[in-house]
Amino acid sequence: MEANGLSKSFRLGDGSIRVLADADIRLEEASSLSIQGSSGCGKTTLLNLLARLEKADAGTVSWDGRKMTASSSPSSRESVMRADFLGVVYQAYYLIPELNVLENILMAARLSSSVNRDSEDRARSLLSRMGVGDKAKQIPNKLSGGERQRVAIARALINKPRVLLADEPTGNLDERTGGQVMDLLMTACDEEKTGLILVTHNPIFAESADSRVFLKEGKLITDEEFEEIERKANDEEN
Amino acid sequence: MKVPWPLYLAWKQLFPSGKKVSFFSLLSIIGVALGVNVMIVVIAFMQGFQQKFRKDIINAQGHARVVPLKPYASWDKIPPRLRKIDNVVGVTPYLQAQLLLQSGNYHAIPFCMGLQPEDGDEVLPVDDFLKGGMLRLQAHDAEDVTPLPTMEMLEDDVVFLSSQTANRLGVRPSAVVQVYEANATLPESTEQSPVRVTRLDSYVESGEWELLFMPSEGSCVVRENVSGDEFVWEYEKGSLDLGFGYPVFEISQGADPFVAGDRFLFQVFKANKIEIFSPSMIDQAKADEMIPPREVRVGGIFEVPWQGFQMEALIGTMRFMADMRDQEGACDGFYLKFSGPVARNEVQLQKKCRELELVLEEDWAVVPWFVENAWFFELLKFEEYLMVLIMIPIGLVAAFAIAIALMTTVLRKIREIGLLIAMGGRRFSVGMVFCLQGFIIGGLGAVLGCGLALLFIRYREVIMTFIVERIAGSDGQAGVAQFYNFHSLEVPFPWESSESLSTFLSFALFAVLVSTVAGLLPALRATRLNPADSLRSE
């Protein structure tokens, strides 16, 4: 997955706020990348732009070598492609309450039109790997937060996506559960050879990724650049 | 077969896993079902009434009427010609008149129709119209056993009156009651009431008839107590028919044999007479000519189920009517009855009528029943359409309720909608989820509504008796039944009549369509949502 020159600003009253300015990002196949940044700096917007859920002001996004203009609306073909190429995990799980755990996972398979006789076996296998194999027939409302997020990860992986976008997946969980969930997510992505873009506030989780970038004032910067900026800021304060 | 995901999700949102049915789904489906049920039942009953009127009209005037277009010399050669034509099963000539009837101080000017006794019931089931007279006895020791008159009893000096005319004039036909006095044999002594009066003509005189069984087997003495006439009747040889002016007795085999001394007593009341004046007689009376009125006996009382037939009416012979009009051999036309597809199909009937007009060389017009009564059926159709118009808002109210509920669902599920798009769902497909929910609610509601309507039609008698009894009481039930006879109403099931099938299908489709359209607005709202905004929403 690759994005070049992504820019995005939001209107606010008479003016506008620039969230992204000419941002470039590249994720190698089956690798992981974490994105850190302060609240409201535009991390979720960046993920939405990468997933083509939102139009950018400028730039391009490439999925599996297919280059798309980020400022245009996604086509129907892109929607179909998104189901196979991308998996998504959100902080708030977003499980469909009318479906049980297994049906929730298979729903993603239905959307990608890849549902077949093996899908249920794969869904059950993913649930087992996530440690919630016995919850297949449970209703989401009866599950704990950690269990729900494990189900959401299983759902994101059901179609064997090339890239998984995780937006603060442990944001609603306590530290211990969050750690467990993050371990499962990283392990599953490794095993499935799925690339991972992880948005998180937690530096430990961020460090566990193959590479790490920071989003600051609309720019994506590397670890070293970020540390340099932080040091300068501290010096100025002193 | 793989179910498309919008349909799968729509179904699951209405019938979630782990629950039998959601409250919203249940209420919506019941709402649609009740609407469909009411619409079908009302229209099916309206059609039932139309069917009943159609049947009553055909009974009262046949399938068509042949009327002369110009003065004619002789008509008696036409019925045989008509009878030879395919599908013609009955031809009844008639002659009409307006006559003044008088009985004591009471007068009536009914619609008068003359028929020939030999073929008068070929088209019109006059025997079915004839009812008992007004001698209604309610006594523990006597019972009205008057046999119903028949068309055979119609003669030149005998007329049948509609019940309204008979009531107005206060007249009745001859009658007979069986008296259970101390010495008479009670009906309980035999398993079947064995002695019956099978014919009581209009010339019978008032009197008391006594039947006394003798020791010798197979005979009894029949005595008329007023005149003292006495006969011995060997009842095993057949009925006792003493000719006109006498009641005909018959014995049906009972379980218990007659024993000597068994005694049966009957009291006979002669028929009332009425005086009849024709317009020419009245003209002559005005010119001071003394013309005596024609005196006739009341032979029977009739009731025609078709209200369009004159309420005040008289049926006499054609000859009597010709006499009264002073037009010997006159005929005003013929009633016709057909069989087969001509009788059942209005288009075929119309064609047949045209064919008959050509056969009769355009001297006669052949008017089918539905043309003659077009005004009435147009009125009924108008009433039916009006009912539909009144009931359509019921469907629309259900649709609004569904639309509001689905719109609320869209707002409640705004983040799920965003997620579905993020997972690869197309906006159109996401919208379809809500449209299909409307479709499913409409479909299930229509099926349930049709089922309820079938149950209502099947058990209409029980349901209507229950309702009418509670509204009008058991006494009022008879009054309601007179005008709205749900019991005898023919309301066909969809597999019995194409009209009924089309009613069921029309309202079921209407419900599905309206419910689906109700889902369109929420669907449109869902498709327009920005997925990123939806996922951010709180």
Side-chain angles (χ1 to χ4, degrees):
Chain A
M1 177 181 260
E2 193 175 352
N4 297 107
L6 282 181
S7 298
K8 176 74 179 173
S9 51
F10 290 104
R11 280 193 180 176
L12 189 68
D14 293 335
S16 67
I17 298 176
R18 198 168 178 83
V19 179
L20 284 172
D22 203 20
D24 296 333
I25 193 166
R26 181 180 171 79
L27 181 73
E28 296 301 330
E29 191 163 353
S31 65
S32 56
L33 168 74
S34 67
I35 304 171
Q36 279 185 280
S38 54
S39 293
C41 71
K43 300 184 296 293
T44 300
T45 302
L46 176 60
L47 283 195
N48 285 339
L49 293 178
L50 292 174
R52 299 277 288 129
L53 295 175
E54 201 162 359
K55 282 195 283 185
D57 298 336
T60 58
V61 175
S62 298
W63 290 351
D64 208 12
R66 182 188 158 87
K67 202 170 185 178
M68 294 164 284
T69 310
S71 56
S72 65
S73 296
S75 64
S76 296
R77 203 171 153 202
E78 279 174 45
S79 296
V80 174
M81 196 177 165
R82 185 192 294 135
D84 293 322
F85 183 76
L86 281 181
V88 284
V89 175
Y90 294 99
Q91 181 180 347
Y93 332 122
Y94 299 146
L95 297 178
I96 298 172
E98 290 86 2
L99 306 179
N100 65 29
V101 164
L102 187 65
E103 290 165 345
N104 259 288
I105 296 170
L106 289 172
M107 189 66 216
R110 286 176 185 277
L111 283 159
S112 81
S113 72
S114 67
V115 66
N116 55 39
R117 286 172 191 278
D118 300 332
S119 301
E120 189 174 331
D121 293 341
R122 176 165 165 73
R124 285 185 186 279
S125 149
L126 282 168
L127 282 174
S128 298
R129 281 160 61 188
M130 292 295 142
V132 284
D134 56 335
K135 310 285 183 190
K137 295 288 175 187
Q138 283 273 25
I139 295 300
N141 294 349
K142 306 272 182 190
L143 301 179
S144 67
E147 287 170 334
R148 288 185 207 188
Q149 196 58 293
R150 289 165 203 230
V151 174
I153 294 168
R155 179 178 64 187
L157 292 170
I158 184 76
N159 294 330
K160 297 182 185 167
R162 305 287 297 281
V163 176
L164 194 149
L165 303 178
D167 189 2
E168 300 187 35
T170 58
N172 278 358
L173 305 175
D174 61 67
E175 200 175 324
R176 189 167 154 267
T177 313
Q180 290 170 349
V181 166
M182 190 51 71
D183 283 347
L184 285 168
L185 176 65
M186 297 296 249
T187 311
C189 284
D190 273 351
E191 286 172 3
E192 299 277 329
K193 306 259 183 283
T194 300
L196 171 68
I197 297 181
L198 172 69
V199 166
T200 181
H201 285 293
N202 189 316
I204 300 167
F205 298 156
E207 273 176 21
S208 61
D210 297 334
S211 52
R212 183 163 71 152
V213 290
F214 289 83
L215 184 61
K216 190 159 178 72
E217 291 164 2
K219 299 267 186 194
L220 280 169
I221 51 176
T222 59
D223 225 350
E224 295 77 32
E225 287 170 328
F226 181 73
E227 280 170 12
E228 181 65 31
I229 292 168
E230 290 287 298
R231 204 180 60 242
K232 277 185 186 170
N234 285 337
D235 290 348
E236 279 170 19
E237 272 181 26
N238 293 331
Chain B
M1 196 182 76
K2 206 173 80 175
V3 180
W5 74 263
L7 180 59
Y8 171 80
L9 191 58
W11 181 269
K12 280 288 177 184
Q13 286 191 343
L14 293 173
F15 304 99
S17 293
K19 271 189 192 178
K20 279 182 183 157
V21 64
S22 78
F23 186 63
F24 156 69
S25 313
L26 192 70
L27 281 191
S28 306
I29 291 167
I30 289 176
V32 173
L34 289 177
V36 170
N37 171 47
V38 168
M39 289 192 276
I40 290 178
V41 167
V42 169
I43 297 306
F45 272 73
M46 290 290 292
Q47 287 168 351
F49 277 118
Q50 283 179 28
Q51 202 59 39
K52 182 183 182 301
F53 289 134
R54 191 170 286 160
K55 205 169 159 184
D56 289 347
I57 287 172
I58 292 169
N59 267 343
Q61 62 181 59
H63 289 110
R65 210 151 61 94
V66 182
V67 289
L69 294 175
K70 53 188 178 188
Y72 49 89
S74 71
W75 57 270
D76 47 352
K77 286 179 188 150
I78 291 176
R81 277 175 68 192
L82 290 173
R83 284 191 185 100
K84 281 181 193 161
I85 294 170
D86 281 350
N87 297 111
V88 175
V89 290
V91 182
T92 295
Y94 67 88
L95 186 61
Q96 294 171 340
Q98 287 282 328
L99 303 172
L100 171 67
L101 276 53
Q102 183 177 342
S103 171
N105 291 325
Y106 299 104
H107 297 88
I109 307 176
F111 161 78
C112 301
M113 184 164 67
L115 302 172
Q116 298 190 123
E118 60 275 17
D119 57 17
D121 56 354
E122 232 175 66
V123 175
L124 313 179
V126 179
D127 285 349
D128 293 343
F129 299 159
L130 288 166
K131 306 289 175 200
M134 291 301 293
L135 191 72
R136 287 180 189 142
L137 286 178
Q138 281 195 328
H140 68 277
D141 56 355
E143 186 188 357
D144 185 351
V145 291
T146 311
L148 282 180
T150 60
M151 184 69 183
E152 287 171 6
M153 290 163 62
L154 190 65
E155 293 185 37
D156 291 348
D157 291 333
V158 176
V159 294
F160 297 148
L161 298 178
S162 68
S163 53
Q164 284 86 350
T165 308
N167 287 345
R168 178 185 282 269
L169 296 172
V171 294
R172 52 156 179 75
S174 52
V176 56
V177 295
Q178 187 171 3
V179 182
Y180 309 124
E181 60 162 20
N183 294 324
T185 304
L186 296 172
E188 285 80 9
S189 66
T190 56
E191 218 171 275
Q192 298 167 346
S193 180
V195 181
R196 292 189 302 126
V197 178
T198 56
R199 195 189 75 202
L200 196 69
D201 62 52
S202 309
Y203 300 98
V204 75
E205 289 298 320
S206 297
E208 186 177 77
W209 291 81
E210 187 180 0
L211 279 75
L212 189 62
F213 285 82
M214 308 295 290
S216 58
E217 219 173 87
S219 66
C220 74
V221 171
V222 180
R223 185 188 300 134
E224 202 288 294
N225 289 332
V226 178
S227 63
D229 292 344
E230 194 173 289
F231 313 90
V232 174
W233 176 25
E234 292 179 359
Y235 59 83
E236 285 183 345
K237 289 184 179 173
S239 57
L240 177 66
D241 189 350
L242 301 168
F244 268 113
Y246 294 93
V248 175
F249 291 99
E250 192 180 271
I251 289 178
S252 52
Q253 195 60 47
D256 298 337
F258 293 107
V259 292
D262 273 352
R263 182 169 168 268
F264 293 86
L265 198 61
F266 296 91
Q267 282 188 357
V268 172
F269 302 90
K270 67 178 183 180
N272 288 126
K273 289 178 184 172
I274 54 173
E275 292 175 339
I276 301 186
F277 300 87
S278 68
S280 62
M281 285 174 175
I282 295 167
D283 285 343
Q284 284 171 301
K286 279 182 189 165
D288 290 337
E289 286 181 40
M290 288 299 291
I291 304 293
R294 177 84 175 254
E295 198 176 70
V296 293
R297 291 163 196 262
V298 178
I301 306 294
F302 66 87
E303 280 174 11
V304 180
W306 167 227
Q307 305 290 321
F309 196 89
Q310 313 291 335
M311 301 289 271
E312 294 212 0
L314 173 150
I315 295 175
T317 63
M318 267 186 89
R319 199 160 44 214
F320 162 76
M321 219 55 74
D323 279 354
M324 296 308 290
R325 274 176 47 168
D326 209 10
Q327 284 182 305
E328 202 180 336
C331 171
D332 284 343
F334 315 96
Y335 290 115
L336 294 181
K337 198 163 197 172
F338 296 99
S339 65
V342 177
R344 289 190 299 270
N345 186 298
E346 290 173 12
V347 178
Q348 300 242 29
L349 180 59
Q350 181 101 52
K351 273 188 195 164
K352 194 75 186 176
C353 289
R354 184 67 199 132
E355 186 191 322
L356 292 186
E357 282 177 345
L358 295 173
V359 169
L360 296 174
E361 290 153 2
E362 309 278 353
D363 289 342
W364 301 74
V366 184
V367 188
W369 65 270
F370 54 85
V371 171
E372 197 161 344
N373 298 282
W375 64 273
F376 181 72
F377 283 92
E378 275 163 17
L379 199 69
L380 284 181
K381 268 285 168 217
F382 171 75
E383 216 172 300
E384 188 182 322
Y385 293 145
L386 202 65
M387 285 285 186
V388 173
L389 276 179
I390 291 169
M391 283 183 302
I392 278 177
I394 297 175
L396 294 180
V397 167
F400 286 138
I402 293 167
I404 291 165
L406 286 176
M407 191 60 103
T408 313
T409 309
V410 169
L411 296 176
R412 199 161 45 84
K413 293 190 170 294
I414 203 157
R415 291 198 294 184
E416 279 173 38
I417 290 167
L419 175 83
L420 287 169
I421 296 172
M423 288 199 305
R426 286 185 300 154
R427 283 162 184 261
F428 174 77
S429 302
V430 172
M432 280 296 285
V433 172
F434 297 94
C435 208
L436 284 168
Q437 284 188 44
F439 175 79
I440 293 169
I441 289 168
L444 293 178
V447 170
L448 187 64
C450 288
L452 284 175
L454 288 176
L455 280 177
F456 200 99
I457 292 170
R458 171 71 182 78
Y459 296 105
R460 63 185 181 278
E461 193 174 328
V462 180
I463 295 168
M464 289 316 295
T465 305
F466 178 81
I467 294 170
V468 171
E469 251 183 26
R470 261 139 202 86
I471 295 172
S474 48
D475 293 340
Q477 191 145 17
V480 173
Q482 191 183 345
F483 295 99
Y484 300 102
N485 199 344
F486 294 101
H487 303 184
S488 66
L489 205 60
E490 283 179 25
V491 184
F493 290 107
W495 52 88
E496 292 172 339
S497 128
S498 58
E499 197 176 21
S500 172
L501 180 68
S502 94
T503 302
F504 271 74
L505 286 179
S506 306
F507 286 113
L509 286 175
F510 172 74
V512 174
L513 186 74
V514 163
S515 304
T516 310
V517 169
L520 278 179
L521 203 63
L524 202 65
R525 176 93 169 83
T527 55
R528 285 185 176 172
L529 284 174
N530 181 319
D533 292 344
S534 306
L535 288 165
R536 280 191 199 105
S537 75
E538 292 298 324

